[in-house]
Amino acid sequence: MEDFINQCAACGAEESLDALLLRMIDDDTVRRLIADVLTTSFPLGGLVVRYLRLHKPPKQKLRMDKIARLLAELVPDVRRNAVERNGRVWAVSAEDWRGAFEAVFVAVDKGTLAVPLPGNEYLYSVLM
């Protein structure tokens, strides 16, 4: 799977998100959300980065505002070990998250789930 690329608005320089994560990110919200995922549960961090790649439109860059929107929903739920949908709360463990991410990857690999993903809905339906 291709890395998604971030492009500098000032000079046009490009780098992969993986490289971007290794240094400070200018967007405070994205930086805090990514730091929360990586420090709260490092083993999930790699799965989250892989999952974010599934949201990249073909022949386009994945925009930081979309990453921020996806992580703004995901990070608090990972931290509290629960998801809420349709007025109901489901308790989910780190293993549940891991299994749900893997189920998403398997569905994409099998071709039963089309990418780019529009949001976190499929992941959350797997968790429920």
Side-chain angles (χ1 to χ4, degrees):
M1 171 134 341
E2 286 182 12
D3 288 339
F4 30 79
I5 304 297
N6 184 48
Q7 185 173 30
C8 175
C11 70
E14 295 183 344
E15 70 179 339
S16 71
L17 180 62
D18 300 320
L20 189 63
L21 292 176
L22 296 176
R23 64 175 184 81
M24 185 176 285
I25 299 170
D26 286 339
D27 186 309
D28 184 56
T29 302
V30 174
R31 182 176 57 244
R32 282 187 293 109
L33 290 168
I34 291 173
D36 282 351
V37 168
L38 295 178
T39 59
T40 300
S41 181
F42 184 74
L44 287 181
L47 294 173
V48 170
V49 170
R50 184 176 170 198
Y51 172 73
L52 290 174
R53 287 187 181 121
L54 301 178
H55 295 82
K56 179 191 167 296
K59 300 182 183 181
Q60 293 181 19
K61 296 169 181 20
L62 184 58
R63 296 177 13 200
M64 285 297 154
D65 63 329
K66 184 168 185 177
I67 293 172
R69 181 178 52 80
L70 293 166
L71 291 177
E73 178 180 35
L74 194 62
V75 170
D77 290 344
V78 169
R79 291 183 74 195
R80 70 185 180 112
N81 294 318
V83 296
E84 183 175 349
R85 287 289 192 265
N86 304 321
R88 185 171 168 199
V89 177
W90 282 268
V92 292
S93 67
E95 286 304 312
D96 294 331
W97 282 107
R98 188 172 288 103
F101 283 123
E102 291 298 334
V104 171
F105 303 146
V106 166
V108 169
D109 290 344
K110 284 184 176 179
T112 58
L113 180 61
V115 291
L117 299 178
N120 293 323
E121 295 81 12
Y122 187 85
L123 176 68
Y124 278 66
S125 69
V126 170
L127 284 166
M128 294 183 297

